[in-house]
Every structure is written in structure tokens, then in C-alpha cells.
Amino acid sequence: METIEKELLRGGQFLVKETKCDDVFTPEDFNEEQTMMKEAVIEFNDREIIAHRERFEKKDFAFTEECMKKAGDLGFLGVAVPEEYGGMGMGFVSTMLVCDYISSGTGSFSTAFGAHTGIGTMPITLYGTEEQKQKYVPKLATGEWFGAYCLTEPGAGSDANSGKTTAELTEDGKHYKINGQKMWISNAGFCKLFIVFARIEDDKNITGFIVENDPENGITLGEEEHKLGIRASSTRQVFFNDCMVPVENMLAGRGEGFKIAMNALNVGRIKLAAACLDSQRRITTTAVQYANERKQFKTAIADFGAIKAKIAEMATSAYAGESASYRAAKNIEDRIALRIEAGNSHQEAELKGVEEYAIECSILKVAVSEDVQNCADEGIQIFGGMGFSEETPMEAAWRDARIARIYEGTNEINRMLSVGMLVKKAMKGHVDLLGPAMAVADELMGIPSFDVPDYSELFSEEKDMIAKLKKVFLMVAGSAVQKFGPDLEKHQQLLLNASNILIEIYMAESAILRAEKNAKRFGEEAQKEQIAMAKLYLFNAVEIIKKNGMEGIVSFAEGDEQKMMLMGLKRFTKYTNFPNVVELRNTIAEKVKAENKYCF
């Protein structure tokens, strides 16, 4: 394990500290093992999943299970599982990579894979006792058994801790008797094991249990749900009627279920972002191949500016999504390594490593799930009428993408969480927001500099702009925290504004750092299109930040304070030299068109 020389930022610190491009990990940094793994997964996806797309669309649940078994045989279900429990014990980046490239064939398989490896297996590897891990994890890692996660109830959705399912200790003290109803349970139809959350007596928090799926033991399933997308993902209600669970199957301690649920979802969120990446690559590829072939007015539609704009934006979002997802994944991997070096157990290291970057996990979940939806939407548009037909893969991609904004915590919840967690970290002293926010307030009172900076170096203006956008966040969020204090969480629309600013900063900065790192390595000419994507993403981000900044400022500040903040907003979102947006898009689109695929 090489020691980590660079300064490893804590979660959320990207906002107040500068990150050097050499300190970010990019997909171009995959090592030989990772590249081989990626190729093996792509091959599996093409052969076993994409070749049989129509079976998934026809709700062939048995086929989803069959593909899961094959993924298990190849070891793909056990990449994140330590070797002593039958897994491959790969690092966090490698587990992201597998999730990324295995998920783009169909949302049905992607959901089954994610539910099993993430929230189905992970809670036991991270919270289980040695006995629990020995007993269950090897079966899950190989695909001998499949797992499911029972949290959501008819009355408890976003408020996960409000579940009504009960667990009652039997008189002999040997079992818990579970009663209740869970819904929207992925993999319910073919799983052998449930992670079930239930409340003991009047506990404030729910408790987690490992429950084997035995119909003789008071477990019944509802019919398969009819869904907009992910049609061959088994989704059912699960009913527990005096289901007896041995006391030794409690996961972690009594009342710790809520904590398990939240931490399992942190991993789930960044993995969900990964699961949307290759979908964007494939949608972009499919769209450009069609646009190169489709002729209208005696011209390939890929040559029309209106179509080029779409292709460029689709590629740019995918590039930014990859950049940010792998940046965060490597931070998590490095944090885990540091904790293991410091003597933490694998369990503790992984838990704390992911928890440290919970803010980034929420940011990525929101950004990438929304980008994949837009990408699929534009994919349909490029196909025109054919895009609306089941004969082409676009409409299924669009339907499958829709769930990503809902599960693992809705995007609204995740937006509010990202800002809420950041404020909490600031209160704990883990991220110094107050100092920088005060500095921005002072800067607003001062006289702005009218010197024209020297922007001759690549990305110097863009990095300057990122630093100013961070000031917008500090200005808006800083004032809001001052004004509302702990009541800030009641001002949801304001939190949404702040989170939109936060998200764009992280995504734009990630794209710029990746392009800069690669331009240094491979030369600017070789990275011309990547540089264009980073600049285009930033241009779009500035507009989103301007709008959200203004909405926030005019809604909670008035009089002189409002005037001053609006002036600050204007100052902090102003380019010295605007990029030529049409030229950037054309540069990107021409490259994608010439390669006839997403090629970055």
C-alpha cells in the first residue's frame, strides 16, 4: 500500500480549500488490474445483458435472476467483499468501476445488482458480527444467495425512522417476533435474505435484523409491482406475520438501525451515481451513431448545429459525472487506507471512510441521476419519432433512468442533506466555513480590484471563477446560517438553492481538475475536446449558480443587505473573458461525431 503523500481533504472541505489537479484521481489513472476488470465487465454486459434487452422489457424476472447468478459466478457480486468472506476484496475505486460498467445494459439488472451488492450485502459486512459475516456473506458474495433491503413502508418513505414494523422479544428471550409490512422491495421475488428494519417497544430509533426468507416463517410477498421502468427488476411488498428471528440475528445494537440505514445509503448513493455513468456513455454513443446515419435535407443530422449542441451537452455531462464520481471514490479509498494504517478494522475503516464523504455522495447521487435523465431525453429527441418507439433502446433508457432520482433518498432529500451535513460539519469544526464566510463578508464591504489578471495559463480564469463561485456559496449559506441558525432546515427552498450552488461547484471543479491533469500529462492538443468540455460545463454551472444565488438572496435578505449581496453575486459570477459557447460545443461534437461514439 503506497503511503498517501498528498493532503487528503476531509468531506466538504473542497469548498474552502483549493484542490490541486495532481491530487485528483481520474478514469485515466486506472491501473492495469482496473482496466482488465473494466474490460471483463463490459464484455459481460454486452454478451449477457444488452444482447437480451427485450427479455428485460418483457418483465422476465427469472432472466434477471439468471444474469445475477452469472455475475456471481464471475465474482462481480463480491468485488467489495473482503477475501476472507469469499469476495475479491477490491478497493473502493474498483468496486465503483464494476458498478459503473455493469449497470448500463438495463436498469432492471442494474437495480438488482445495486440492491444486492450495496444495501443487501454491505450492512452485514459493515455491521455484522464475525459469526454473522461467516454465516451469510460468502453465500451473498458468490450469488448462491441474493439479498434485499426492507426499509420503506407504506407510511414511511423519506422519513425512514417512522416505520411501524415491530420486533417483540419472545418470552424465552431467544427470538424476536417481527410484524409489519414493507414496500418497494427490490429483489424480493428471488432473494434468500432480507435486511429488515423494525422497532422494538417504544424505541426512538429502529433496529436492523438479518432475516432469512422462509415462507413457512410468516413471510408472504405481494404481487410484482407494475412499474414505469426497471420492468424486470423484482419489486414486491413483503409482509411479516409473527416472523421469528433468532436474537443473534440482530444487526449491530438495539436502536442502531437508523444509523445502519443512513450509512448503507451513503455507499448506495455514490454507487448509484456510478450506475448512471456508463448509461450516459452508451446513450451518447447510440445517439451519435444514429445521427451520423440519419439523413434529412440530404445531410446527416449529426452535421446540424441543433443536433451538435445536444451531443456536446450529453458528452459534457457524462465527462463531468465521471470526473466527480472517481474523484470522490478515490478520496474514500484513501481515507479507508489511512484508517487501516491507523489500526482500524476493515469494518470501521470502510464505514468511517464513506461517512466522511457523505456530502459528496449526496451531491453525486443528485447530479448524475439528473444528468442521465436529461441525456436519455435528448437521446429520444435525436432519434425523433423513432426514439418514442419501443424498437429503439432510447425509450427504455429514459424510463429506467427515472427511478434514479427517487431511490436511495429522493433528490430533494439529498439536496437538503448535502447542505445540512455541511453545516453540521462546520459546527463540529471539521470544515471551517465560518472563517471563509466572514472573509467574503469583509470582501463585499471592501473596494473591488479593477486589475485585469493574467489569464494566459490554461484554466487560470476557470479556476479563478471556481474560487469566486465558492464565495457565492459562502455568502448565501453564511448569511442564511446567521439569520436562521438551527432553524435553517425549516427553510427548504433556501436549502435547495444553496445545494444547487454546492453541486455545481463540485461537478465543475472536478471536470476542470481532470482536464487540467490530463492536459499536463498528454499535452493540450491531445486534450482539446476535454478542455472544451470542462469550459462548457463551467459556463453552464455559472448560469445555474447565478439563478439560485439570486433566488436565495431576494427571498431572505432585504434593503441594503440584499443590494450588497446582489452586487457580490454579480461580481463573483462575472467572466473577464467569456468562452465562445458555440465553438466549444462544436469542438466536442465534431470529435464525438468523428469517433462515432462517446470517446473520452
Side-chain angles (χ1 to χ4, degrees):
M1 190 85 225
E2 92 262 33
T3 50
I4 294 130
E5 293 298 336
K6 61 182 188 223
E7 183 198 3
L8 184 55
L9 295 189
R10 298 197 66 154
Q13 275 188 337
F14 71 87
L15 195 63
V16 291
K17 294 200 169 186
E18 192 190 349
T19 303
K20 300 268 183 276
C21 72
D22 299 328
D23 291 345
V24 295
F25 180 88
T26 77
E28 292 75 17
D29 294 314
F30 289 152
N31 61 29
E32 203 178 337
E33 181 193 38
Q34 286 165 334
T35 307
M36 281 167 62
M37 194 66 180
K38 171 179 140 178
E39 281 160 8
V41 174
I42 290 174
E43 204 250 336
F44 170 80
N45 193 11
D46 283 334
R47 184 185 70 235
E48 302 294 347
I49 296 168
I50 290 173
H52 306 287
R53 202 181 253 134
E54 70 288 345
R55 291 186 67 175
F56 292 103
E57 289 314 304
K58 289 187 177 134
K59 306 187 182 182
D60 191 338
F61 302 107
F63 187 63
T64 301
E65 186 181 356
E66 198 182 304
C67 289
M68 284 286 287
K69 280 209 163 38
K70 286 179 179 166
D73 293 342
L74 291 169
F76 296 149
L77 301 181
V79 279
V81 172
E83 289 177 46
E84 59 267 37
Y85 309 113
M88 287 190 182
M90 292 177 106
F92 200 81
V93 171
S94 300
T95 67
M96 279 282 283
L97 182 152
V98 171
C99 187
D100 174 351
Y101 286 94
I102 210 164
S103 295
S104 61
T106 159
S108 299
F109 179 83
S110 170
T111 300
F113 178 85
H116 171 76
T117 55
I119 51 184
T121 306
M122 196 67 97
I124 307 179
T125 54
L126 294 186
Y127 287 97
T129 61
E130 192 50 42
E131 294 70 36
Q132 288 169 343
K133 288 190 287 190
Q134 293 288 359
K135 183 174 179 184
Y136 293 115
V137 177
K139 289 188 167 80
L140 293 166
T142 54
E144 182 189 335
W145 281 21
F146 294 119
Y149 179 84
C150 296
L151 177 62
T152 306
E153 298 185 12
S158 296
D159 182 3
N161 204 23
S162 67
K164 305 254 189 299
T165 298
T166 58
E168 188 189 344
L169 193 60
T170 53
E171 275 178 23
D172 60 10
K174 289 185 179 169
H175 289 82
Y176 277 98
K177 195 159 50 173
I178 295 187
N179 283 288
Q181 168 187 7
K182 299 287 183 179
M183 70 189 305
W184 308 128
I185 306 307
S186 299
N187 296 354
F190 58 78
C191 75
K192 277 288 286 176
L193 181 137
F194 294 113
I195 305 288
V196 180
F197 295 92
R199 194 177 312 278
I200 301 171
E201 294 170 350
D202 292 327
D203 288 3
K204 179 177 170 243
N205 289 328
I206 49 181
T207 299
F209 295 91
I210 302 169
V211 181
E212 294 181 28
N213 183 6
D214 175 7
E216 308 284 292
N217 184 19
I219 298 177
T220 49
L221 301 179
E223 289 297 306
E224 287 287 354
E225 300 286 351
H226 298 286
K227 308 184 296 291
L228 172 70
I230 57 169
R231 287 180 170 174
S233 149
S234 173
T235 313
R236 295 182 167 197
Q237 292 198 39
V238 183
F239 301 92
F240 298 95
N241 189 359
D242 287 348
C243 173
M244 304 290 267
V245 181
V247 288
E248 60 269 21
N249 275 28
M250 183 189 284
L251 200 50
R254 175 171 173 170
E256 288 187 18
F258 187 60
K259 190 174 77 182
I260 297 174
M262 292 305 104
N263 283 328
L265 290 176
N266 286 334
V267 182
R269 280 166 188 155
I270 189 168
K271 293 282 174 76
L272 181 59
C276 296
L277 293 175
D278 197 48
S279 299
Q280 289 183 74
R281 295 186 203 104
R282 284 185 185 263
I283 291 166
T284 306
T285 294
T286 308
V288 78
Q289 287 172 352
Y290 182 80
N292 274 332
E293 280 169 25
R294 172 82 170 157
K295 299 256 194 304
Q296 286 297 291
F297 312 104
K298 301 195 171 106
T299 310
I301 64 169
D303 290 331
F304 292 121
I307 301 293
K308 282 187 195 174
K310 292 184 189 306
I311 289 168
E313 296 287 355
M314 290 158 81
T316 297
S317 289
Y319 182 78
E322 288 172 347
S323 309
S325 297
Y326 285 102
R327 171 190 183 181
K330 182 68 166 118
N331 284 346
I332 290 172
E333 186 172 289
D334 288 347
R335 178 65 63 182
I336 291 169
L338 282 178
R339 285 201 164 259
I340 285 173
E341 270 176 45
N344 284 131
S345 67
H346 168 270
Q347 250 170 317
E348 199 176 4
E350 183 122 345
L351 255 179
K352 293 282 184 235
V354 176
E355 199 178 340
E356 177 64 56
Y357 296 99
I359 295 167
E360 287 79 354
C361 293
S362 279
I363 286 174
L364 288 164
K365 191 273 179 183
V366 172
V368 187
S369 66
E370 292 181 0
D371 285 343
V372 73
Q373 185 83 61
N374 294 335
C375 188
D377 201 64
E378 291 289 39
I380 289 182
Q381 199 67 12
I382 289 170
F383 269 74
M386 284 307 293
F388 205 71
S389 160
E390 285 185 5
E391 279 177 45
T392 61
M394 284 299 170
E395 63 87 39
W398 185 86
R399 284 187 290 100
D400 283 354
R402 189 59 187 85
I403 187 61
R405 282 151 55 199
I406 297 170
Y407 57 21
E408 309 287 353
T410 66
N411 283 11
E412 291 69 27
I413 289 281
N414 273 292
R415 277 190 159 90
M416 291 184 284
L417 264 179
S418 61
V419 179
M421 291 188 290
L422 187 60
V423 172
K424 278 199 183 94
K425 278 196 142 185
M427 305 282 185
K428 281 185 186 163
H430 292 178
V431 177
D432 176 19
L433 284 188
L434 196 63
M438 301 284 277
V440 174
D442 291 345
E443 189 179 334
L444 286 178
M445 304 294 279
I447 296 163
S449 152
F450 293 105
D451 298 345
V452 178
D454 170 22
Y455 285 142
S456 50
E457 200 180 312
L458 176 68
F459 286 133
S460 49
E461 178 160 9
E462 285 73 18
K463 289 198 305 197
D464 217 8
M465 184 61 102
I466 289 283
K468 290 193 295 189
L469 296 177
K470 291 177 181 179
K471 289 177 184 176
V472 174
F473 180 86
L474 291 164
M475 174 177 78
V476 173
S479 303
V481 169
Q482 244 172 336
K483 185 156 269 174
F484 302 117
D487 278 350
L488 181 61
E489 57 188 42
K490 293 183 187 148
H491 299 266
Q492 291 195 344
Q493 295 188 43
L494 198 53
L495 284 175
L496 295 176
N497 290 138
S499 71
N500 287 336
I501 298 171
L502 187 68
I503 289 166
E504 292 307 319
I505 289 169
Y506 189 71
M507 303 303 286
E509 183 180 63
S510 300
I512 288 165
L513 292 171
R514 176 184 179 186
E516 185 190 11
K517 184 177 186 179
N518 290 332
K520 277 187 178 177
R521 275 195 281 204
F522 311 123
E524 285 185 34
E525 189 46 42
Q527 296 293 301
K528 193 171 77 211
E529 295 82 16
Q530 284 88 329
I531 292 168
M533 287 191 285
K535 289 182 173 181
L536 177 61
Y537 193 94
L538 177 65
F539 178 80
N540 292 335
V542 171
E543 288 308 303
I544 294 169
I545 288 171
K546 239 188 248 181
K547 176 182 179 293
N548 281 279
M550 183 175 289
E551 246 180 62
I553 292 164
V554 299
S555 301
F556 79 84
E558 41 202 29
D560 287 347
E561 186 196 10
Q562 186 190 89
K563 267 198 201 108
M564 189 147 70
M565 285 174 77
L566 288 173
M567 270 168 52
L569 180 66
K570 199 170 168 184
R571 192 196 305 178
F572 297 145
T573 53
K574 193 165 164 243
Y575 275 94
T576 304
N577 309 288
F578 279 103
N580 179 334
V581 179
V582 170
E583 199 177 290
L584 292 177
R585 288 197 194 122
N586 286 340
T587 300
I588 301 158
E590 286 300 338
K591 175 74 170 170
V592 178
K593 216 176 79 182
E595 299 274 342
N596 205 25
K597 63 173 199 263
Y598 178 84
C599 52
F600 307 108

